[in-house]
Amino acid sequence: WTLDPSGDWYYWWISIVALPVLYNCIVLVCRSCFPALQERHTGLWLSLDCMCDGIYLLDIAVRLHTAFVEDGILVRDRGRIRRRYLHSSAFPWDVAAVLPTDLLCLRLGTALPAVRANRCLRAPRLFEAFDRRETRTAHPNAFRVAKLMLYVFIAIHWYGCLYFALSSWLGLGTDTWVCPNASRPGFARPLRQYLHSFYFSTLILATVGDTPEPQREEEFLFVIAGFLLAVLGFATITGSMSSVISNMNAADAAFYPDPEPVRRYLRAQGAGGRLARRVSRWHQHLRAQRKLPAERAVLRHLSRGLRAEVAASVHLPALRRVGLFQSWEPGVLRQLVLRLRPQVFGPGEFVCRRGDVGHEMYFIREGQLAVVAEDGVTQLAVLGEGLYFGEISLINIKGEPPDPWQPSAAPRPPSLTTAPASPGNTSGNRRTANIMSIGYSDLFCLSKEDLAEVLVEFPSARAALEAKGRELLLRMGKLDVHAEAAAAAAAEEAERRVQALETALEGLQTRAARLLAQLESSAFKLVLRVQRLEGRLQRRQ
């Protein structure tokens, strides 16, 4: 068996390995500096140490079976995996981390947790687990802050433990700087000693001050080292937090448009007031509801195949609701979802108006739209989630058909009636209804150009689309059958003439080829005759 380094099993295993690494990095120093803590819970520490060592050994076995990527190909050959790991720089550190240094306790005659300090050499696995978790979590910025706070806690914890160890070496309670001894109430318990040390360490590393003045050289050197570490830690924390904030702003800018340029433009043109408030509310709606109008920009770095899979998983259910596309093959739909463009319309905003030229259709992903009369108030119909409109404008059946959502009670005014674009369609490509968004509506738009680009590669889908469009136009009474038959006959006549011209052209090409061959043959014979005459003339001379 082999593990894929990018798979789920490897991810969960490295998360498990991170636990004993954290245990050793946090608990070992505490047990070494607080002997009472080590003596009171010897059995517990022995059990946990054996468990951590077992996980370390299992991790070596897992790394001997973890595949690697070479030249873009996942290598699963166990022989190559084993050779690569044994010759890597990580193998000596992994072995050093599991050396049985506990045997030194038998020679020294006492239990010293410090001899297990080599277990902290597996810290790179902890960092790898953090990196994996950061790429998988849905809240990477929150995880970065939590990771930073963990590092701060470990630094304060280590410094506090070392402070208590120095106090024990100098003598507990010998001056006001060191940790009080057991004579002070409550300080006989290890927990109280640790909390005092942690509090003292926090005061120094946070540069808060209000700590007792050192009395001896060792104390001065320890405090100076703590202040230097505090300066470095403060700079690190400040830089990390600013990086997290800038990353959050960059992520928002990548997903959502910046409203400030539009506001400045409106102010410069003197078009503020109500229009500026509508623009502000539209941007606020995008952020509050997490709408992504710049979807293509977000997915632009993915490969075309992966981008198609992502778009299909998000938009394919909406596309399958359209009756025109239900019988199409999946390849066509996957190409279409790459061309869907999300659009968000605000309350009272018209998606299309009667008389507009229709070049796209819309899918209602969320929200409600109304078919309104010319007064812009009277609602003739309401379109909800999962419906679509304008699909007839994508079908080119000898002209551009009207929008199918025109109600029969609202006929087209004479001023908006146009001649058909070509024989067959009696309405042209003008919209015949006013579609207005009732609230905030999330739509997907598919243009005719994008559909035509896809159908070039799928002739069968084009034929099915034309047949479906002819059926819909006949049902709506918008298809002139006689004009369409005349246009078809004209197309057949044109095709016949083209074929006749192609036949005549082929005949001319054949005759030209024959004449060229005869010319080459005559030229060759003439050259031979000239050569013979020149030879005779040379012999006579």
Side-chain angles (χ1 to χ4, degrees):
W1 54 271
T2 56
L3 284 179
D4 185 357
S6 60
D8 293 336
W9 285 102
Y10 184 81
Y11 168 73
W12 290 113
W13 170 251
I14 199 172
S15 300
I16 294 174
V17 174
L19 297 178
V21 177
L22 278 175
Y23 164 79
N24 289 314
C25 291
I26 295 176
V27 177
L28 283 182
V29 63
C30 189
R31 291 163 52 189
S32 301
C33 297
F34 293 87
L37 183 65
Q38 171 67 21
E39 294 171 0
R40 291 187 179 184
H41 308 283
T42 304
L44 174 64
W45 303 133
L46 182 61
S47 302
L48 292 177
D49 290 344
C50 294
M51 187 182 302
C52 292
D53 293 346
I55 294 177
Y56 278 10
L57 292 173
L58 283 177
D59 186 51
I60 294 178
V62 168
R63 300 194 73 169
L64 287 171
H65 293 80
T66 301
F68 64 94
V69 179
E70 186 179 55
D71 296 333
I73 301 175
L74 188 64
V75 178
R76 292 185 176 273
D77 182 69
R78 284 182 291 179
R80 295 181 59 185
I81 294 173
R82 187 179 299 109
R83 287 192 299 270
R84 185 175 184 270
Y85 174 60
L86 294 179
H87 292 86
S88 66
S89 59
F91 177 70
W93 294 100
D94 293 347
V95 174
V98 295
L99 291 177
T101 53
D102 305 75
L103 299 178
L104 294 176
C105 297
L106 300 178
R107 183 177 181 85
L108 298 176
T110 181
L112 294 177
V115 298
R116 292 178 54 85
N118 61 320
R119 303 305 192 270
C120 297
L121 295 177
R122 301 299 293 271
R125 296 292 274 176
L126 176 64
F127 301 145
E128 183 182 358
F130 283 164
D131 293 338
R132 299 272 179 168
R133 181 63 181 175
E134 185 174 339
T135 57
R136 287 200 173 208
T137 181
H139 306 283
N141 292 318
F143 179 79
R144 295 188 189 104
V145 173
K147 182 175 64 174
L148 178 63
M149 297 307 297
L150 175 64
Y151 292 157
V152 171
F153 166 77
I154 292 176
I156 296 175
H157 170 76
W158 272 70
Y159 193 81
C161 293
L162 294 177
Y163 162 75
F164 185 81
L166 180 60
S167 298
S168 300
W169 182 66
L170 296 176
L172 296 176
T174 55
D175 57 40
T176 58
W177 187 86
V178 298
C179 183
N181 54 21
S183 62
R184 187 169 176 178
F187 278 87
R189 295 182 300 145
L191 178 60
R192 181 64 179 271
Q193 296 173 348
Y194 172 77
L195 291 178
H196 177 82
S197 302
F198 193 88
Y199 170 74
F200 188 87
S201 174
T202 305
L203 292 179
I204 293 180
L205 296 184
T207 64
V208 176
D210 195 20
T211 57
E213 183 179 356
Q215 304 295 328
R216 285 174 273 195
E217 291 82 358
E218 296 86 351
E219 298 173 358
F220 276 105
L221 292 176
F222 190 80
V223 173
I224 292 173
F227 282 142
L228 293 177
L229 180 62
V231 172
L232 177 61
F234 183 76
T236 303
I237 292 173
T238 304
S240 300
M241 292 303 296
S242 61
S243 176
V244 169
I245 294 174
S246 62
N247 289 336
M248 292 175 63
N249 295 333
D252 288 344
F255 280 92
Y256 308 108
D258 186 10
E260 192 59 31
V262 182
R263 295 172 183 171
R264 290 198 299 266
Y265 172 76
L266 292 176
R267 286 195 298 265
Q269 300 298 325
R274 181 173 177 272
L275 184 58
R277 288 192 296 270
R278 286 183 58 190
V279 172
S280 299
R281 286 195 297 267
W282 184 81
H283 283 90
Q284 292 173 4
H285 173 76
L286 292 183
R287 291 178 178 270
Q289 301 299 325
R290 299 184 179 275
K291 305 297 183 182
L292 303 180
E295 187 177 85
R296 293 188 178 183
V298 174
L299 303 178
R300 68 181 183 276
H301 298 297
L302 299 178
S303 63
R304 183 174 180 83
L306 185 57
R307 188 165 64 249
E309 291 186 13
V310 173
S313 64
V314 176
H315 306 321
L316 196 57
L319 200 62
R320 291 188 183 276
R321 297 191 187 105
V322 183
L324 293 174
F325 308 138
Q326 289 179 353
S327 61
W328 286 14
E329 55 184 297
V332 186
L333 299 182
R334 290 194 182 94
Q335 294 297 324
L336 287 178
V337 295
L338 289 174
R339 293 160 172 83
L340 289 178
R341 291 177 287 115
Q343 294 184 0
V344 179
F345 293 88
E349 186 176 355
F350 281 87
V351 180
C352 62
R353 292 178 180 270
R354 175 178 295 182
D356 293 344
V357 179
H359 292 293
E360 60 278 322
M361 70 172 298
Y362 296 93
F363 309 93
I364 305 176
R365 184 180 183 183
E366 183 178 344
Q368 291 185 346
L369 295 96
V371 181
V372 298
E374 289 300 319
D375 57 4
V377 178
T378 305
Q379 295 186 5
L380 305 176
V382 176
L383 310 179
E385 179 181 351
L387 297 181
Y388 55 92
F389 59 94
E391 76 277 10
I392 300 298
S393 62
L394 299 183
I395 308 172
N396 188 15
I397 306 296
K398 302 297 183 295
E400 302 298 330
D403 191 278
W405 289 104
Q406 167 62 27
S408 58
R412 179 194 300 269
S415 59
L416 296 178
T417 305
T418 58
S422 59
N425 189 349
T426 62
S427 300
N429 60 345
R430 299 286 181 176
R431 302 287 192 188
T432 58
N434 299 314
I435 308 295
M436 184 185 68
S437 177
I438 298 177
Y440 284 100
S441 301
D442 190 6
L443 309 181
F444 286 117
C445 176
L446 179 63
S447 66
K448 177 184 296 185
E449 291 76 12
D450 292 335
L451 179 62
E453 184 180 349
V454 173
L455 294 182
V456 169
E457 304 175 0
F458 298 93
S460 60
R462 173 184 290 276
L465 178 63
E466 292 181 353
K468 184 66 176 179
R470 186 177 293 105
E471 177 184 349
L472 290 175
L473 289 175
L474 285 173
R475 189 183 306 165
M476 297 168 57
K478 301 295 183 179
L479 182 64
D480 190 346
V481 181
H482 301 288
E484 184 187 12
E492 293 179 359
E493 179 64 20
E495 181 68 21
R496 187 186 61 78
R497 292 182 179 181
V498 169
Q499 292 179 357
L501 290 175
E502 290 178 351
T503 303
L505 181 59
E506 291 178 358
L508 291 175
Q509 290 177 347
T510 303
R511 293 181 59 186
R514 291 177 181 175
L515 292 175
L516 183 60
Q518 292 176 1
L519 179 61
E520 292 177 353
S521 177
S522 300
F524 181 71
K525 293 179 180 179
L526 182 60
V527 170
L528 292 178
R529 184 176 180 184
V530 171
Q531 289 178 352
R532 287 196 298 270
L533 293 177
E534 289 178 350
R536 292 178 183 178
L537 181 59
Q538 290 178 358
R539 286 196 297 272
R540 290 181 180 179
Q541 291 177 351

